[in-house]
Amino acid sequence: MTPPRRKRREPKPPPPPRPPAPEPADGEAKPKNPERLYTVAGSEDGARAELDLVTLIVARDEPHLAASPEQAAVLRLCANPLSVAELSAYLNLPFSAMTVLITELITAELVQVRAPVVRRALPDRSLLEAVMHGLQRL
């Protein structure tokens, strides 16, 4: 039986160098790359509501046909209250982009913002005493 013959692979030649970008004329500003935050959210001014990671977002309405895919996803996910951190994780967007996106939805009155549910640090003493007395009766 004859062993398989292998061909040596030749390294590929490097790609040709890219032409340099045109230099701006005097007085012109250099072109800026768009920020991901503004391309996803579509906001020009970058205004943001004061949101925390645990702030709850609830949808008030169904997504409209004119809504961006990200806005429609937020409205679908927020049928039940979700925190901004959960939305950020589900949509795989940074927190800063989520705040701008949610600010636009708040401005359009499509979502409602709720403060997170804060639990008391210590349980009520009367409840603990009632549980203790119930256990002693057993």
Side-chain angles (χ1 to χ4, degrees):
M1 190 162 147
T2 310
R5 296 188 181 203
R6 295 183 182 168
K7 293 184 178 179
R8 269 200 172 168
R9 293 184 184 173
E10 297 286 330
K12 293 182 181 179
R18 291 185 180 183
E23 292 290 327
D26 291 338
E28 290 183 21
K30 292 183 179 180
K32 294 181 181 178
N33 293 331
E35 296 287 334
R36 180 176 182 198
L37 174 66
Y38 300 115
T39 58
V40 169
S43 175
E44 293 177 9
D45 60 353
R48 298 181 192 175
E50 301 229 0
L51 298 173
D52 196 6
L53 285 171
V54 293
T55 304
L56 298 176
I57 309 296
V58 183
R60 287 182 158 182
D61 200 2
E62 294 292 320
H64 300 297
L65 294 175
S68 71
E70 291 84 10
Q71 290 176 340
V74 168
L75 291 173
R76 280 193 304 273
L77 286 170
C78 290
N80 295 321
L82 279 179
S83 69
V84 178
E86 289 172 314
L87 286 171
S88 179
Y90 287 140
L91 297 177
N92 199 20
L93 291 173
F95 176 72
S96 57
M98 283 305 303
T99 56
V100 174
L101 190 62
I102 292 171
T103 301
E104 287 183 350
L105 293 172
I106 292 169
T107 305
E109 296 181 357
L110 295 174
V111 295
Q112 180 181 8
V113 178
R114 293 185 186 171
V117 177
V118 180
R119 295 184 179 166
R120 295 177 124 180
L122 298 172
D124 187 23
R125 183 180 174 100
S126 62
L127 175 65
L128 291 176
E129 288 176 355
V131 169
M132 184 179 70
H133 292 304
L135 290 173
Q136 287 175 347
R137 289 184 199 148
L138 293 176

